[in-house]
Amino acid sequence: MAQIPATVVTYPDGEVAGTATVVHAVPLEGGRTGVLLDRTPFHPVDTAWPDQPADVGVLRTADGEIPVVATLTGGVHDGELVVGSDLPVRMGTEGWTFVVVHVVDGPGPAVGESVEAGVDPELRAALSAGHTACHLASLALDAALSDAWTKDVTTDAAGHPAFDMLAIQTSRITSYGSTDVYRVGKSLRKKGFDPSALDDLRALEQRIEATLTEWAGSSGGIGIHRDDHTLAGRRSWRCELPGGPVELPCGGTHLTSLAQIERLTVALEASGVPGGIQFTMTTSVTVSR
Ligand SMILES: [Zn+2]
């Protein structure tokens, strides 16, 4: 098999369309085909940390439009392509080449064929807004809990104790929002976190939203920065908050300015779990059209 090249990805720049060449095709279950392109605007769902859902859209060929029903992450190792949940390694693992797999029904376009890749722009816009809201809410959560720590711990991009990073269990970006699940147990208490800071969740919501209201509609730019344009390349999210710029690792897509945000709200809900507290932060964002 000819060597499969790493996919160049254009979605970090906000692209939703582009011309590409089919470099490989792999049969998948159910008569589907995984189509690999040399470059793509399609954001695939990550296997190890599936926070932002995959793009959907179409591949346009000379013969018509082929719907892309799913976009997965693939890895090539020793000439063998492994797709989606079968991938045994994290993105960026040494010795692997990472690719975007466009899943289509039927055989799909032929290797060597030129296609016009087009992402559903409405879904992308909704997920980009949701992903930006997710990052902002987690930074505001860290700020709101900064006085709940009795010891020095790792800090976040804004310099506050990194509650989000230390307590997060799962993070899911949704259309114009996100759902983040946190767990406070023995290890976080040992690090110096006082769980009584979570006793009054309504007051905590208000503190988070006070920060988010300050940020929403301000003029700061938002962007993804990178040197390596392949799928596995390191990328970071930079945002000019009113209090100063922040930067953190991120593989997703985003709004381009805080000015686009009209309103950002959070809802917290706690549930007891053995040995600790689990709570969910549901974030919602409204953007200007
Ligand atoms: Zn992110």
Side-chain angles (χ1 to χ4, degrees):
M1 174 165 67
Q3 209 185 335
I4 299 171
T7 313
V8 169
V9 293
T10 59
Y11 57 81
D13 303 327
E15 297 292 314
V16 289
T19 306
T21 303
V22 178
V23 294
H24 189 74
V26 60
L28 301 175
E29 265 176 44
R32 290 178 162 178
T33 304
V35 179
L36 274 56
L37 305 174
D38 59 343
R39 55 196 295 118
T40 187
F42 278 80
H43 172 270
V45 65
D46 189 71
T47 307
W49 186 252
D51 59 347
Q52 181 172 333
D55 283 325
V56 294
V58 293
L59 302 180
R60 289 184 194 89
T61 70
D63 299 325
E65 269 184 10
I66 304 168
V68 174
V69 297
T71 313
L72 304 174
T73 299
V76 185
H77 183 60
D78 284 341
E80 200 187 325
L81 170 64
V82 187
V83 178
S85 54
D86 293 336
L87 192 61
V89 292
R90 294 185 74 91
M91 179 65 67
T93 300
E94 197 79 22
W96 287 72
T97 299
F98 292 90
V99 294
V100 176
V101 181
H102 309 77
V103 180
V104 302
D105 283 323
V111 172
E113 202 170 334
S114 177
V115 299
E116 192 64 36
V119 166
D120 177 346
E122 299 280 324
L123 176 64
R124 166 66 72 73
L127 295 174
S128 294
H131 203 144
T132 298
C134 177
H135 284 201
L136 294 172
S138 66
L139 288 166
L141 171 66
D142 285 354
L145 290 173
S146 61
D147 54 6
W149 297 84
T150 58
K151 297 178 192 169
D152 282 343
V153 285
T154 315
T155 51
D156 69 14
H160 294 117
F163 177 85
D164 174 81
M165 197 185 86
L166 295 168
I168 192 99
Q169 300 300 301
T170 59
S171 180
R172 292 290 181 274
I173 313 298
T174 55
S175 287
Y176 299 103
S178 67
T179 304
D180 294 276
V181 178
Y182 299 93
R183 193 189 164 118
V184 176
K186 204 170 152 194
S187 78
L188 218 63
R189 290 199 301 272
K190 268 189 176 166
K191 286 192 171 82
F193 183 77
D194 175 6
S196 72
L198 304 173
D199 285 352
D200 187 349
L201 288 180
R202 297 291 87 77
L204 182 57
E205 274 173 8
Q206 284 168 15
R207 285 211 300 283
I208 297 166
E209 287 183 351
T211 303
L212 294 174
T213 301
E214 214 177 284
W215 293 344
S218 64
S219 61
I222 301 168
I224 294 290
H225 294 258
R226 57 179 177 161
D227 296 321
D228 179 341
H229 285 239
T230 63
L231 176 61
R234 279 168 194 268
R235 295 186 279 283
S236 65
W237 177 79
R238 284 187 208 165
C239 178
E240 307 284 336
L241 291 177
V246 293
E247 178 164 359
L248 50 92
C250 181
T253 67
H254 286 275
L255 297 174
T256 56
S257 171
L258 292 169
Q260 292 168 272
I261 300 175
E262 280 179 352
R263 196 172 138 79
L264 245 174
T265 58
V266 293
L268 302 178
E269 206 175 310
S271 55
V273 289
I277 307 160
Q278 182 164 295
F279 74 92
T280 302
M281 178 165 72
T282 307
T283 304
S284 306
V285 62
T286 312
V287 299
S288 50
R289 296 262 169 186

